[in-house]
Amino acid sequence: MTQLSMPPHLTSPAAPSAPPAHHLLDLEHKARLVSGGDTFRTSGEPAVGMHPIVCSDGPVGVRGERWDEADTALLLPCATALAASWDEELVARMGGLLAAEARRKGVHVVLAPTLNLHRSPLGGRNFECFSEDPLLTARIGAAYIAGVQGGGVAATAKHYVANDSETERLTVDARVDGRTLREVYLAPFEAAVRAGVWAVMSAYNRVNGTSMVEHPLLAEPLKGEWGFDGLVVSDWGAVHEADGPGAGGCDLAMPGPNPAWGPALAAAVRAGRVPAAVLDDKVERLLRLAGRVGAFDPPAAGGPAPVPVDPATRGALRAAAVAGTVLLHNPDRLLPLDAPALRRVAVLGPNAATARVQGGGSASVFPAAPVSPLDGLRAALGPAVAVTHAPGVRTGLRPTPLTAADCVLPDGSGPGVLVRYLAADGSLVHAESRSTGRVLEPSAEVDLAPVRTIEVATRFTPPTPGRWRLGVVGLGALRLEADGEELLAEYVEPLSDDPTYLHVTPSFRQVELELAAGRPVALLARRTVESAHGRVLVLAADPPEAELEREFAHAVELAAAADVAVVVVGTTDEHESEGFDRSSLRLPGRQDELVAAVAAANPRTVVVVNTGSPVLLPWRERVGAVLTCWFPGQEGGDALAEVLLGRAEPGGRLPTTWPDAAEDCPVYATAPTDGRLDYAEGLHLGHRGWLRAGRAPAYWFGHGLGWGEWRYLALGAPSAPAADGSRTVRVTLRNEGPRRSRETVQLYLSRPGSAVDRPVRWLAAFTAAEADPGEQVDVELALPARALEHWSADGTGWETEPGAFVLRVGPHCGELPLTAALTVGP
């Protein structure tokens, strides 16, 4: 049920391929070549003139090989926000920006896009995935791939396959029937191959009992039926032995060197457990990728150029954030705001002043110049409008890293913290100043081999008095001091071998200390460095509880005195991240209480939901307007201001259904039972599950409001099939609203009386319409042949059931005013 043929402008261009050269290498060199050289580089091979291929995480920005706050990156809206645009041309342009960033940083392979689905709204990594629907994910993913690879950089379709939640993600066994795999979870990957993707990443998880790094699905349908000629790379650390993955479809084990691959793979070939021809195929695929991305050319001299800050680049990122913003609720047309009438605006909430522009985990980067909602509105409204602010509540679950706003270096020479890397004998290996107390890696090329201890030191001046919670994040022997006095000394064992836990968000410890406002205190955090424990060290401080109560009351007071209150609520990377699933759909902390109190004080309240996934909105009918900006990227604050003030239309439509109650969700739990996660719902996830259950959510898949009022007038009969089996469907509609507007026209199919299990209806096509006030327009939708097909019961191929299909067209899957019939012959 997914369109697989892509328009020519959304397919990757042909790229040069290296000629087969495996005959130039002996067995050991071949095995070494397909084992990673280090964390983000493959091994090079002088014998064939190949330099290392450089990879980088990058769904929303190209971080590069190091997690370095000095090496910033352009930050795009998250994948869910891109999919919310339903705009393939825009997504392809964003892919082009990523390719330019990759070239700027010397990166050959971007480890994106993530083509897994929003199976459950609790999925911790949903913000990194496009949608709950296979067709929308397929088309947006293909556009992303075309944009990236059009710039000569490889995209990587991941995580193949059924990697749709994070609980027990390294070992979980997803149990999925063959038809559901083909029609739902494999469909976006098939579209990626049709779009010409150059790399596919196998997932950590198992599917039906077999680890994906050695699963037969890597051979069929990926490399066989679909004809994928690119490289299959393991997810990082997923290869633990040579025989199974070596004999199977995994081509490159990352990172490296990996003792379970490399020499072990050569030994397996020599012993006959892995066929020599299979290893040759892996080498040829790696060399082909090297040719496509330019790894036979010498690396560029010098370091990366500065991150682009030109108006055109920033404008493109801002336009993408606007296009993905979804206006959910606006019954009395509070939005757009009448800017000339505003004198006082209260911008409230925990996410208002601190830009929550991305989710957590390997997808995160250090953004170039993030704009918060508060800063965006202040800049847009200018000095004539008083813009007040209070966070109202705090939502942090983990210690809050210190920032340069309240800290100076130990010698008082400037703001920030001092980081020192020490050898076993206490000698200094490297020292540097940083802007925050969160340290992942040093910001320079440093030999980390001799490092055994890391220290973060600063002088912190508390803005308010009371019992502050001082914290340290890291593993191994931790120590925390204040003015030379030991507050904490403890050895912290790792709780998991998950890479995100070890290298991004390890365990933490906190202690309370009475501090006086305005009086500096010297703080020192220290940790040991041990093999496989990562190097994260965070020095943190959180204010007294009494201060939080005062903040809540202050926010309500500001709202009551304002012409309009804008409350920015949401999650942070502590709530939505790689490595864990959410446990609830409720907004963290007291945010629901804050919205209710603000709305009671000022009926002109706009709520901005700053999350990567659905949350419950118990107050949604009591506020003037609700919109979601997702994780909007670095230009999110300016984009939000443009939407609120009517300078741009919110272009987004929901790529996933938003519930009113958790118990109504057709698929909710993400926790495996005895290591197994049964996809018992089959085809019926997301809006399909809601329709099957006969329940109404808060907001349907595809829902979104704009500045227009669209009336759907006529749906023409589908055309005769073209050579590829597709049909054209024409829709007539008119904008009866007061402003020019863009509408996302959606076509769904149903098959009454079907002899096979089917969704009540399923998305089959979509396109965009634009019109001025009062203007009538016609649009054409391409209905692909695959939309009418289902995977056969015997698993041998695609079939079309003869009989009558019903076409339904409208603004979202819960409102489809136009219908037409299509009869398919035997």
Side-chain angles (χ1 to χ4, degrees), residues 149-237:
Q149 295 188 172
V153 175
T156 308
K158 66 180 190 183
H159 308 85
Y160 187 90
V161 60
N163 183 214
D164 309 292
S165 56
E166 292 294 281
T167 305
E168 300 180 23
R169 68 178 183 142
L170 302 182
T171 58
V172 63
D173 183 10
R175 296 287 174 148
V176 197
D177 69 82
R179 184 180 171 207
T180 299
L181 273 172
R182 282 289 189 150
E183 294 189 20
V184 179
Y185 297 100
L186 284 171
F189 290 95
E190 185 177 0
V193 173
R194 300 288 183 250
V197 71
W198 293 343
V200 169
M201 181 187 289
S202 60
Y204 286 125
N205 57 284
R206 298 174 183 272
V207 171
N208 298 329
T210 303
S211 171
M212 280 309 307
V213 78
E214 56 182 292
H215 205 287
L217 286 170
L218 296 176
E220 291 294 344
L222 180 62
K223 292 181 175 180
E225 176 190 330
W226 297 347
F228 175 62
D229 70 350
L231 183 88
V232 173
V233 58
S234 73
D235 206 338
W236 263 230

Side-chain angles (χ1 to χ4, degrees), residues 459-752:
R459 283 165 49 194
F460 169 57
T461 302
T464 57
R467 293 190 64 80
W468 282 73
R469 285 174 293 139
L470 304 179
V472 58
V473 180
L475 300 175
L478 300 184
R479 182 180 175 89
L480 179 62
E481 297 179 2
D483 287 336
E485 177 183 352
E486 180 184 284
L487 301 179
L488 181 149
E490 182 179 346
Y491 189 90
V492 179
E493 295 275 5
L495 300 177
S496 169
D497 60 356
D498 188 297
T500 299
Y501 167 79
L502 293 172
H503 302 294
V504 184
T505 54
S507 301
F508 63 88
R509 298 291 186 267
Q510 289 177 295
V511 296
E512 289 191 349
L513 183 66
E514 189 75 28
L515 298 177
R519 180 179 175 182
V521 57
L523 299 178
L524 172 71
R526 179 186 296 126
R527 68 160 290 182
T528 56
V529 175
E530 301 175 33
S531 176
H533 283 191
R535 292 185 290 268
V536 177
L537 180 60
V538 178
L539 177 57
D542 287 279
E545 290 294 330
E547 180 65 21
L548 304 184
E549 291 297 329
R550 287 192 290 268
E551 286 182 0
F552 190 102
H554 182 48
V556 177
E557 291 171 2
L558 293 178
D563 299 320
V564 65
V566 178
V567 189
V568 188
V569 297
T571 60
T572 72
D573 57 5
E574 299 175 6
H575 308 94
E576 289 188 80
S577 174
E578 178 182 357
F580 59 88
D581 292 318
R582 290 191 291 164
S583 59
S584 170
L585 296 183
R586 294 182 60 84
L587 285 166
R590 299 178 61 195
Q591 293 184 90
D592 287 332
E593 293 178 56
L594 178 64
V595 172
V598 168
N602 188 337
R604 290 172 55 82
T605 292
V606 178
V607 182
V608 180
V609 183
N610 182 198
T611 66
S613 298
V615 291
L616 301 180
L617 310 175
W619 31 258
R620 64 188 179 92
E621 299 292 345
R622 290 177 277 158
V623 299
V626 183
L627 54 83
T628 177
C629 65
W630 313 104
F631 296 137
Q634 68 181 62
E635 295 295 325
D638 286 340
L640 176 63
E642 287 194 356
V643 169
L644 293 180
L645 301 177
R647 298 171 186 175
E649 182 180 40
R653 302 295 184 266
L654 288 180
T656 197
T657 308
W658 281 46
D660 245 342
E663 57 268 23
D664 289 341
C665 295
V667 181
Y668 189 68
T670 59
T673 301
D674 298 327
R676 293 174 44 155
L677 188 61
D678 288 322
Y679 285 43
E681 72 284 353
L683 308 174
H684 308 283
L685 73 158
H687 57 285
R688 299 173 173 190
W690 287 91
L691 290 164
R692 189 187 201 196
R695 299 171 184 159
Y699 301 109
W700 282 104
F701 172 78
H703 169 75
L705 307 172
W707 305 149
E709 289 281 348
W710 290 90
R711 181 179 295 276
Y712 285 73
L713 301 174
L715 170 60
S719 69
D724 63 358
S726 65
R727 293 169 167 84
T728 299
V729 179
R730 175 167 292 187
V731 179
T732 303
L733 62 168
R734 182 170 60 242
N735 176 16
E736 298 182 349
R739 299 180 57 165
R740 182 172 179 81
S741 181
R742 183 180 188 273
E743 173 76 334
T744 299
V745 181
Q746 301 165 42
L747 187 156
Y748 295 79
L749 285 178
S750 61
R751 177 63 170 82

Side-chain angles (χ1 to χ4, degrees), residues 265-415:
L265 179 59
V269 173
R270 189 173 290 108
R273 298 191 304 273
V274 172
V278 172
L279 177 57
D280 287 346
D281 180 66
K282 299 179 194 300
V283 172
E284 286 190 19
R285 288 172 181 272
L286 182 63
L287 294 176
R288 184 179 297 125
L289 177 66
R292 286 169 165 169
V293 300
F296 292 104
D297 301 325
V307 64
V309 293
D310 58 285
T313 299
R314 293 191 60 188
L317 293 174
R318 188 164 56 252
V322 167
T325 298
V326 182
L327 181 57
L328 297 171
H329 180 73
N330 193 30
D332 299 320
R333 290 192 172 272
L334 174 59
L335 295 182
L337 300 173
D338 182 6
L342 297 176
R343 295 294 177 266
R344 191 176 185 88
V345 175
V347 183
L348 313 169
N351 290 20
T354 302
R356 303 300 186 188
V357 291
Q358 61 185 325
S362 64
S364 61
V365 302
F366 288 100
V371 181
S372 70
L374 178 62
D375 289 341
L377 276 166
R378 279 180 171 161
L381 290 170
V385 179
V387 179
T388 59
H389 166 67
V393 298
R394 304 278 178 111
T395 58
L397 299 174
R398 296 172 59 85
T400 305
L402 290 169
T403 67
D406 297 317
C407 295
V408 297
L409 298 171
D411 64 2
S413 61

